[in-house]
Amino acid sequence: MNKKTLRDVDLKGKRVVMRVDFNVPIKEGSIKDDTRIKGALPSIRHVLDNGGSLVLMSHLGRPKGKGYEAEFSLKPVAEYLANLLGRPVVFAPDCANADADVAALQPGGIVMLENTRFYKAEDGKVKPAEGMSDEELKAKKAELKAKREELAKKLASYGDIYCNDAFGTAHRAHASTAVICKFVKESVAGFLMEKEIEYLGNAVEKPTRPFVAILGGAKVSDKLAVVKNLLDKVDTLIIGGGMAYTFLKAQGHDVGNSLCEQDQLDYARDMIEKAKANGKQFLLPVDNVAADKFDAEANTQIVGNDIPAGWMALDIGPKTTELYAAAIKGAKTVVWNGPMGCFEMKKFAGGTTGVCQAVAESGAVSIIGGGDSVSAVNKSGLADKMTHISTGGGASLEFLEGKELPGVAALSDK
Ligand code: AMP
């Protein structure tokens, strides 16, 4: 990686402002999944063990940005972290007014700031209100941008070094994820961030071949840029999930009531042709699990690529699963984003489970790109067979699109 990391800076006696991703599920004050908190521990421990102190900040959920909202408070997370580390974590209840707590920090000490998204200035986004003129919108945008800079400057003032270990929000140019870098001398990546970028970056830019990418999920339009970017790099592209039916329709099939984006048919056709012209294998379903309604108890039948009228395809069929598994078997690098069907319902989970098993058994370097594919892998109990499971759905998708992530771009170069 061409960006500085925590290993490249002297931490002794330094205060590190660290952006972590502690956006964890909390129910009635108790943390339901601590994966993200544990994911940040190597960076946290490294700073503390090397004589530094820490100011931690994160967002949690999607508060309105108008101040404190109890359900989005990070207080339970601060308490949980203190237990995990076996040392006190001072909780600062207002992220932009924490000077006293920060000034009292000693080497080895930790202050955790309240949710940065209690300030609208964190994302600095403007939603155009009804009846707002272009001029008014422009003025509002400028106002919020200035506030975002102000908040970033305040957060930067808490430390000597900024560290970003929150890959999950690296695709956002927020005050705490990117803008802050303008106001600190050194901005470095944490270890989790470094790991994400190295795994995803190596898989996409320097894959051991054959390189197979598997794309699924609901919408083609969400993954247009990913298909386009990966098509140049892979040997085989496998398409499943709801997005497959736009491709099948583009080939002249009847797709019944399956998901289909009419406005993407030309694009789908272009992609199929581009793959052919470049000698890439482009795999689409050959059979499907069709349902008479979108329901866990629906009647189902296995059909070919013409879905009967009134039916909808909710999973790839057994022959397709076999075909995809065979392609995955020969792979040396696999990147997977998006389920092959509506895996949340048992009747439509077969394709996703089959693909998951094939990836696990392939022996390939396997990168699971966040979001629903991660839930599917966890559900199948095969998570420990994967090389890397990304912690950031949106961020990993933008990475696979070939986009530069603002939270990474803003870090100091090596
Ligand atoms: P995404 O967020 O785009 O990765 O989409 C994930 C969602 O796509 C999951 O909730 C799946 O249930 C859904 N999905 C997958 N296959 C299909 C399908 N054939 N029809 C409708 N939805 C699907």
Side-chain angles (χ1 to χ4, degrees):
M1 194 173 66
N2 59 356
K3 297 292 181 184
K4 283 192 179 171
T5 75
L6 275 177
R7 258 178 253 106
D8 298 315
V9 280
D10 180 13
L11 295 161
K12 196 152 194 272
K14 298 278 169 51
R15 264 197 322 244
V16 178
V17 185
M18 187 184 286
R19 177 58 158 95
V20 287
D21 182 2
F22 284 173
N23 182 27
V24 292
I26 299 181
K27 226 178 185 177
E28 285 148 16
S30 90
I31 286 147
K32 295 294 163 205
D33 181 346
D34 64 358
T35 314
R36 287 182 170 156
I37 303 176
K38 287 194 170 143
L41 288 181
S43 294
I44 290 175
R45 290 211 169 101
H46 181 83
V47 172
L48 302 176
D49 293 349
N50 284 280
S53 58
L54 272 171
V55 179
L56 295 174
M57 56 187 177
S58 176
H59 76 285
L60 175 70
R62 291 173 186 259
K64 293 189 189 75
K66 291 180 181 164
Y68 179 78
E69 286 175 66
E71 71 174 297
F72 299 118
S73 174
L74 279 164
K75 193 152 191 264
V77 180
E79 285 160 9
Y80 193 90
L81 179 67
N83 276 333
L84 272 184
L85 291 170
R87 58 170 98 199
V89 172
V90 174
F91 185 66
D94 178 349
C95 74
N97 284 296
D99 294 300
D101 288 326
V102 171
L105 263 178
Q106 297 296 322
I110 309 170
V111 167
M112 163 117 218
L113 306 179
E114 179 57 287
N115 197 339
T116 51
R117 286 196 189 162
F118 284 169
Y119 283 88
K120 185 71 201 131
E122 163 72 326
D123 71 14
K125 260 199 237 140
V126 184
K127 259 201 199 139
E130 214 175 297
M132 207 182 223
S133 71
D134 286 353
E135 283 305 298
E136 283 168 324
L137 184 63
K138 218 167 141 191
K140 189 85 193 145
K141 275 188 180 165
E143 185 199 330
L144 260 169
K145 194 172 169 212
K147 283 195 173 155
R148 192 176 60 180
E149 302 254 324
E150 208 180 292
L151 177 62
K153 202 169 175 181
K154 181 77 216 178
L155 297 171
S157 75
Y158 297 146
D160 311 296
I161 295 167
Y162 168 70
C163 172
N164 193 344
D165 209 21
F167 179 73
T169 45
H171 58 314
R172 310 264 185 232
H174 290 178
S176 71
T177 62
V179 185
I180 186 170
C181 297
K182 281 196 209 170
F183 305 105
V184 282
K185 274 207 208 97
E186 292 274 32
S187 300
V188 303
F191 299 134
L192 183 61
M193 176 75 96
E194 182 188 28
K195 197 167 129 194
E196 290 273 10
I197 295 168
E198 291 210 339
Y199 274 119
L200 282 164
N202 283 342
V204 174
E205 299 307 332
K206 297 183 255 172
T208 314
R209 295 187 182 275
F211 174 19
V212 176
I214 311 161
L215 295 177
K219 283 186 170 171
V220 175
S221 49
D222 284 351
K223 295 192 180 147
L224 290 180
V226 183
V227 175
K228 198 164 180 200
N229 186 42
L230 287 183
L231 205 46
D232 283 336
K233 305 180 190 291
V234 297
D235 300 295
T236 300
L237 191 60
I238 292 177
I239 305 278
M243 64 190 277
Y245 304 98
T246 302
F247 286 96
L248 292 182
K249 174 88 179 175
Q251 288 185 322
H253 291 287
D254 293 325
V255 294
N257 290 345
S258 311
L259 273 186
C260 180
E261 291 169 87
Q262 292 291 340
D263 55 343
Q264 302 300 341
L265 293 176
D266 286 341
Y267 167 84
R269 235 171 262 128
D270 282 355
M271 287 301 114
I272 295 170
E273 269 162 30
K274 190 177 168 206
K276 211 188 257 169
N278 295 342
K280 311 277 177 162
Q281 203 181 12
F282 193 94
L283 295 182
L284 286 166
V286 291
D287 66 345
N288 306 276
V289 182
D292 59 352
K293 56 182 173 208
F294 190 83
D295 192 288
E297 302 306 324
N299 293 311
T300 62
Q301 57 172 321
I302 307 293
V303 297
N305 279 349
D306 287 309
I307 314 297
W311 290 68
M312 60 183 79
L314 294 183
D315 194 11
I316 56 172
K319 278 198 196 124
T320 309
T321 307
E322 245 173 66
L323 175 77
Y324 290 2
I328 293 163
K329 197 174 172 196
K332 290 273 187 294
T333 305
V334 176
V335 169
W336 179 15
N337 190 300
M340 298 290 99
C342 298
F343 73 104
E344 299 94 335
M345 299 186 262
K346 209 169 162 215
K347 285 189 176 180
F348 313 109
T352 304
T353 309
V355 162
C356 190
Q357 249 150 11
V359 176
E361 285 163 14
S362 67
V365 171
S366 51
I367 316 290
I368 315 300
D372 275 316
S373 11
V374 174
S375 329
V377 167
N378 285 335
K379 224 171 152 178
S380 68
L382 294 167
D384 61 342
K385 296 274 190 301
M386 307 299 170
T387 312
H388 180 67
I389 298 186
S390 178
T391 52
S396 68
L397 212 52
E398 290 203 12
F399 197 100
L400 295 179
E401 286 173 8
K403 278 193 193 153
E404 191 173 51
L405 307 179
V408 179
L411 299 175
S412 311
D413 290 327
K414 256 198 179 142

